[in-house]
Structure formats: structure tokens, C-alpha cells
Amino acid sequence: MNDTFENTKGHFQVETSMTFKSIGRRHLRITTQPFQLQKRRAVLLSIEDITNAKNYERAKIEKEKLTAVIRTAGAICHEINQPLMVILGFSELLIDEIADGQLQEENVKEIRDQAQRLAEITNKLMAITQYKTKMYLSSEILDLDAASSINISDPNPDKEKE
């Protein structure tokens, strides 16, 4: 407002935010226009509260991100699950054919366990319900545990106790 009064130059729809004691943080759009009123300089001030519009816009962006993540995750899971099922199937067949106690038995069981872990990850990807991120190195990545409706506390819930 002071700039408009001093320089007689108006400002159009300048967005800012302010915090009020009674209502908290609000997003505002301010327009000022200089004019003369009975030979005196004055400023016409218009303040529009756009907090709800900003919140809607933020929610819409989050929904679009979530939709993109879910579509991408679905495509990835579909592509990963097909070879994964082959690995799991063949590893089970090999375990059945290897004599107990042979070194290869432990190696094949590790292959099976890691393939099952991949299957759990793809299940989490398919169950994403919200867009949550976490820091990883110097960037943000999807926080799969927080974003998924599946919470797997045991890393191998289906694994037989040996």
C-alpha cells in the first residue's frame, strides 16, 4: 500500500501470506490502485482471502501425484511379477531336488527368500493409498512403507520357520 501511495503505481493481484492471531495463516491476494479523492491522494485496497483455493490446489496436486505414482507402480509390478513368479517356482523345484544339507540348498533358499521379498515390495506398491516421501541421499523418494496400506513388520511373513 505504501509503495502505491508513494509512487502512484498500482499493484495487481499480488499473492502473499500472513498469520493472524485469531485465525492463523491465511493466503491473500492484494490489489492496490492510486486515485484522487477530493484533490487528495488515496489508495484503493482490495484484499481477497484465497486460503481455501490454495488448499484445494495443493490437494489437487497431491491427488495427481498419487494417481501418477499408482499408475506407474501398477505397471512396474505387472512387469516384475511375471519373471518373479518364475524365479519363485524354479527355486522351490530346486529346493525339492537338492539333498538336505548341501551348500546349494542354502543358496537356492536365499534366492527364494529374496524373490519373496521382491513380491512383498510389489504388493506394497500395488497398495499405495497416499503420496508420502522421505529423504534419500540428496533427493526425495516415495516412502513405500508410509504410502502403502500394507504394513509388513515381519520381513518374511510367509517364510517357513526352519
Side-chain angles (χ1 to χ4, degrees):
M1 225 171 96
N2 287 339
D3 184 62
T4 299
F5 189 77
E6 291 170 6
N7 298 316
T8 63
K9 180 181 176 220
H11 297 279
F12 185 69
Q13 294 188 344
V14 176
E15 291 188 12
T16 189
S17 60
M18 296 177 70
T19 303
F20 299 90
K21 287 182 183 179
S22 61
I23 57 174
R25 189 167 191 80
R26 307 303 289 178
H27 296 279
L28 307 171
R29 186 176 291 145
I30 300 172
T31 299
T32 59
Q33 184 63 42
F35 71 101
Q36 293 236 324
L37 181 65
Q38 298 176 350
K39 298 185 181 181
R40 294 180 67 194
R41 289 189 320 177
V43 175
L44 180 62
L45 172 66
S46 168
I47 301 174
E48 179 184 5
D49 185 345
I50 58 171
T51 304
N52 291 341
K54 285 286 187 183
N55 291 341
Y56 173 77
E57 182 179 313
R58 190 174 13 263
K60 183 179 175 187
I61 289 170
E62 289 300 312
K63 184 178 178 182
E64 288 171 356
K65 285 180 184 178
L66 177 60
T67 300
V69 166
I70 289 171
R71 286 181 181 162
T72 302
I76 290 169
C77 290
H78 175 73
E79 296 300 323
I80 289 174
N81 277 335
Q82 292 176 353
L84 191 57
M85 292 303 113
V86 172
I87 293 168
L88 282 168
F90 279 114
S91 66
E92 289 295 334
L93 290 173
L94 283 172
I95 290 170
D96 291 343
E97 291 180 11
I98 295 174
D100 282 341
Q102 285 187 333
L103 177 63
Q104 295 89 343
E105 179 186 24
E106 289 305 313
N107 292 338
V108 174
K109 284 183 178 179
E110 184 62 26
I111 291 170
R112 178 202 59 200
D113 293 347
Q114 293 303 314
Q116 287 173 337
R117 183 170 172 239
L118 278 173
E120 291 166 3
I121 292 169
T122 60
N123 286 338
K124 279 186 178 183
L125 281 169
M126 293 297 291
I128 291 173
T129 59
Q130 54 188 328
Y131 184 77
K132 296 282 186 179
T133 60
K134 65 181 177 182
M135 289 304 297
Y136 180 76
L137 300 177
S138 61
S139 64
E140 283 188 354
I141 62 170
L142 181 70
D143 185 342
L144 192 54
D145 291 323
S148 176
S149 63
I150 295 176
N151 187 2
I152 301 173
S153 56
D154 179 3
N156 293 310
D158 296 329
K159 182 179 175 184
E160 295 175 17
K161 304 297 180 205
E162 299 169 19

